[in-house]
Structure formats: structure tokens, C-alpha cells
Amino acid sequence: MDSFSSNYLRWMSPTIGDTFPDLHGETQHTDAFSLYDYLGNKSWGIVFMHPGDFTPVCTTELGAAQSLKAEFYARNTKICGFSCDDASRHRAWVADIEAATGQRLDFPLFCDPDREHAIELGVFDPQLKDDAGLPQTVRSVFILNPDKTIALTMTYPSSVGRNFDEILRVLDALQRASNFGVNTPANWQPGDKTIVPHNMNDEQAEEKFGKNGFITADLPSERGKVTEKHYLRYTDDPILTDTKSKQSSKLALRIGKIKSWRPPKSFMPVAGSLSLSSMRRRRGTSGGKSKLAPVRPAEEDLDVGQNECKVDDELNLKQNVSDCSQQHKPWTRILTVGFSALKSEIDDAKQQDNVKSGTDEYQSAKRRDDPYKAQMRRFSRNSAGSEVVW
């Protein structure tokens, strides 16, 4: 093939790495559409080519694309249809698509009745013509990077509908490569292991993925050889690794906030003034709001003995609150407030007394007959025998 023909075909059929042209014209929604304005500067894009309006396979495809719009949105991707008809026919076709598939198209369907853009993109099937004898487009798919360059192309004949699961899969793979610098093996699915790029030696791979961040395949051609780069190395899906890292960071942040939390002074107890057994809910006189107030409890409300044991760590305390709340429903609110508001008091008691859970007093409390009493004892007594005031 001579140089002129090669360059001509390349101009007619943009390929991977080429800049996709801006589409200016009409859609079913507007007569001043710009593909670049629609995509913006940060979104990925997918353009679907369709042979024509009111064609059966295209009708099902556009309904499928609309049903997956949330999936594309989750991948920071905007979709755009393309068909060689005018806006009025597009609008009428949209009604048919909704009736046939239950999906109302809200993404743009570009109009190219003069085939101007189809010629520029080189997406014609010479064997496929409409009723007027004009050539129609094949089912091409262009996936665009945020910089408007073509990341991937697919071309289906007019008789075969597109596989949208595959389009989502390759979009995931492209974004893994773009955002994390990994390759994907045959039949890869999100969550499967990815591949360390071939142009990265083992030292660079360790810097990027960690010393134990990838697995080297045991290959006969590499056995017994010292090499700087093993060519087949697997690493975890970076999305999963990144998600776990973010979750760990969020958890650490939450734990840090909990540890640094202190209740306001209005909630701090006064020594000797309140205890859990001397609180109950009563109806206030101002504005009809319920208030918590100290009162002298009836013996049947709570029977807390004097031989109490130390306050355990926060996790045990929270479990105790839950257990006691289940057995004494009217006290659920009080116990919850008590746990939240008096956490710093408990921390101070723990630091001052430094009582271990293996003490004789603790074991003795656990062996008592009444399980509820044993639970409550764990709240209100330190090792010195003085009451931890709530």
C-alpha cells in the first residue's frame, strides 16, 4: 500500500492515541451540541455509532446503554450516541426505545444526517445502505481518555449487537492502567489479579508495589538465571488495595477522634452527686421536653452491690451497656448517655488504678450468681474500693 493510501486511511479511521474530533451539531435535546463541552476536562467518554434510527439492534443497544448509565457514572464516564439522522427522527425514536426497553434516554444522541462526521471518522459499512441508498455506519465504539485521545476502539458489524458487559470490563481495565499503571491479563474481571507492566524491572516493581507486593510466575525460561526483570508478575487489583487503604485510614481517623474526645463540662459528674442507680427519666415542666434528672431510686429499679470491680476497657464497657440495656429497657437511654458522656472519667480511673482483669476481685465478681449484678459491678468500682461516680 503506498504512502498516500496509508495516510488517507489513517485520517479516515482515527485509532488508539489519536485525538477524537469534537462533534458540533444537533442532538435530540439541543441544536448547539459540543462533545468536548459535554465531556468536560476530567471525564472519560464513550461514543457509540449506530447505523440509523428505527433499526432493531440499535434500539436494544441504546436501551441497554441507558440502563447502565449509573455504572458509567460511577466510573467517571459520560456516554454519547451517534446516528445518521436528524433531531426530529431522534426524538421519535427515543419514544420507541422507551416503549421497547423501558428506558428513557437522557444522554445525547448526536445527529449526522449529512454523514459529514461519519466520513471524517471512517465508520461506514460499504455493504450497508439506508432506504435512500446512502451508506450507514457500523457499530463502532470509541472510548476516550479525559484528554480526548482514543483509549480503545471496537467495531461490530450491523448484524451483531454490542456486549455492554465487555464495554464496562475494558473501561475498568483502561482505568486501572491509567490510574495505577498496571496491565490486565486475559479474561480479567474486576477483583482479579493484575500484571506488573513489562517495562518495569523488579526493583522498580518493589518500589511501586512493595517488597511483597507482587508474585513472580515460575517459568522454565527463567529458572536458574539471575535477572533484573521477570516478565510475568502478578499483583492484586489496585482498586481493592486502594479501597482497603482508604478504609484503614478512615478507621484510624475515627479511632483517633474517639480517643481524643472529651465530654463538655455540663455533662461531667460531680463527685458523690450522681450514679447510674440514681438517674431516671422524668417529664420536664418546660416546653414538654423530657429531661434526665438525679432522683433517689427505688430498690427494685437497680440493685447494685458494694463489692464492685474495676471498669474494663471501652469495648467491654460498650458490651456491658448493650447487655444491661437489653435486660432493663427503661434504662437504655441512661446507660447510653452514661457511656458517651463519662468516657473520660473511665479513662482516668483506668490510668490511676491500672487494675488488670486477672485480679481476684474481678474473678470473684464474675462468679456471682446474678449476671446483671456482675455486669453492673464492672461499671462502678475501682480497685481501691471507692465508687466510680457517673
Side-chain angles (χ1 to χ4, degrees):
M1 182 178 295
D2 58 40
S3 176
F4 174 80
S5 298
S6 177
N7 291 335
Y8 178 74
L9 288 175
R10 180 172 174 77
W11 175 79
M12 289 288 289
S13 301
T15 188
I16 294 173
D18 290 344
T19 299
F20 193 85
D22 192 4
L23 301 179
H24 288 280
E26 291 184 320
T27 69
Q28 79 275 31
H29 299 136
T30 178
D31 59 358
F33 176 79
S34 165
L35 179 65
Y36 284 11
D37 290 345
Y38 169 64
L39 295 179
N41 296 323
K42 297 180 179 180
S43 295
W44 290 65
I46 300 182
V47 180
F48 304 101
M49 301 292 174
H50 296 277
D53 294 2
F54 305 104
T55 52
V57 178
C58 296
T59 298
T60 62
E61 286 184 325
L62 287 170
Q66 178 64 42
S67 71
L68 294 172
K69 189 177 178 184
E71 294 288 342
F72 290 116
Y73 179 81
R75 292 160 173 81
N76 186 33
T77 302
K78 296 180 179 180
I79 57 178
C80 177
F82 181 110
S83 182
C84 295
D85 276 296
D86 59 31
S88 62
R89 284 176 62 84
H90 279 5
R91 285 189 284 269
W93 189 27
V94 165
D96 282 2
I97 294 169
E98 182 177 14
T101 67
Q103 301 292 330
R104 180 74 179 180
L105 262 62
D106 59 7
F107 59 85
L109 186 57
F110 188 75
C111 307
D112 190 30
D114 298 329
R115 275 64 171 175
E116 175 184 351
H117 294 282
I119 292 171
E120 182 181 1
L121 294 170
V123 290
F124 284 120
D125 181 349
Q127 306 300 321
L128 184 66
K129 294 181 173 56
D130 62 12
D131 295 338
L134 296 174
Q136 291 182 302
T137 62
V138 291
R139 302 184 194 284
S140 291
V141 180
F142 294 93
I143 299 182
L144 311 181
N145 292 303
D147 64 0
K148 312 303 183 295
T149 59
I150 298 172
L152 180 143
T153 64
M154 299 181 187
T155 300
Y156 293 73
S158 61
S159 59
V160 179
R162 278 167 274 225
N163 185 330
F164 281 85
D165 289 338
E166 172 64 4
I167 292 173
L168 285 173
R169 188 193 76 87
V170 297
L171 178 60
D172 285 333
L174 289 168
Q175 293 186 344
R176 299 294 199 280
S178 175
N179 298 333
F180 300 100
V182 295
N183 300 158
T184 49
N187 301 320
W188 176 86
Q189 295 291 336
D192 294 348
K193 287 190 177 297
T194 58
I195 292 177
V196 176
H198 184 254
N199 61 357
M200 185 179 294
N201 62 37
D202 290 353
E203 183 179 353
Q204 293 169 330
E206 286 185 4
E207 291 178 0
K208 182 174 181 61
F209 302 106
K211 187 172 182 61
N212 299 314
F214 61 90
I215 299 171
T216 301
D218 182 17
L219 304 175
S221 63
E222 295 180 341
R223 289 175 189 164
K225 296 180 180 178
V226 178
T227 177
E228 294 183 354
K229 179 175 69 176
H230 295 83
Y231 76 84
L232 183 54
R233 297 156 294 179
Y234 294 97
T235 186
D236 290 337
D237 184 343
I239 287 289
L240 300 183
T241 305
D242 189 55
T243 300
K244 289 178 182 178
S245 176
K246 288 180 180 179
Q247 289 175 344
S248 298
S249 298
K250 289 180 180 179
L251 180 60
L253 180 62
R254 291 176 63 187
I255 291 174
K257 288 182 178 179
I258 290 173
K259 288 184 176 180
S260 63
W261 180 86
R262 289 295 180 269
K265 291 184 178 180
S266 60
F267 279 90
M268 292 297 290
V270 179
S273 64
L274 296 178
S275 68
L276 281 177
S277 59
S278 65
M279 299 177 68
R280 69 176 174 85
R281 184 178 292 282
R282 68 178 177 83
R283 177 65 63 179
T285 58
S286 175
K289 296 181 179 179
S290 296
K291 295 182 178 180
L292 292 174
V295 298
R296 189 175 186 81
E299 291 184 1
E300 62 270 21
D301 284 341
L302 281 179
D303 181 14
V304 181
Q306 295 301 313
N307 295 323
E308 324 291 352
C309 69
K310 75 157 190 93
V311 176
D312 258 19
D313 62 290
E314 295 168 21
L315 293 178
N316 286 336
L317 175 59
K318 191 169 184 179
Q319 181 62 46
N320 293 338
V321 169
S322 176
D323 294 342
C324 295
S325 299
Q326 292 298 321
Q327 298 180 49
H328 294 260
K329 296 294 184 182
W331 293 89
T332 301
R333 170 67 176 167
I334 295 174
L335 292 174
T336 304
V337 172
F339 171 75
S340 300
L342 305 178
K343 177 180 177 299
S344 63
E345 186 84 5
I346 297 166
D347 291 340
D348 292 340
K350 287 165 57 178
Q351 294 175 2
Q352 293 172 8
D353 300 315
N354 193 24
V355 177
K356 297 182 179 180
S357 62
T359 61
D360 292 339
E361 185 179 9
Y362 174 82
Q363 297 298 334
S364 176
K366 288 186 66 176
R367 289 194 294 269
R368 293 184 182 276
D369 294 334
D370 187 341
Y372 174 65
K373 289 183 180 181
Q375 294 285 358
M376 293 304 297
R377 289 186 187 100
R378 302 176 71 179
F379 294 149
S380 59
R381 187 66 114 180
N382 62 21
S383 63
S386 59
E387 184 179 5
V388 177
V389 180
W390 295 79

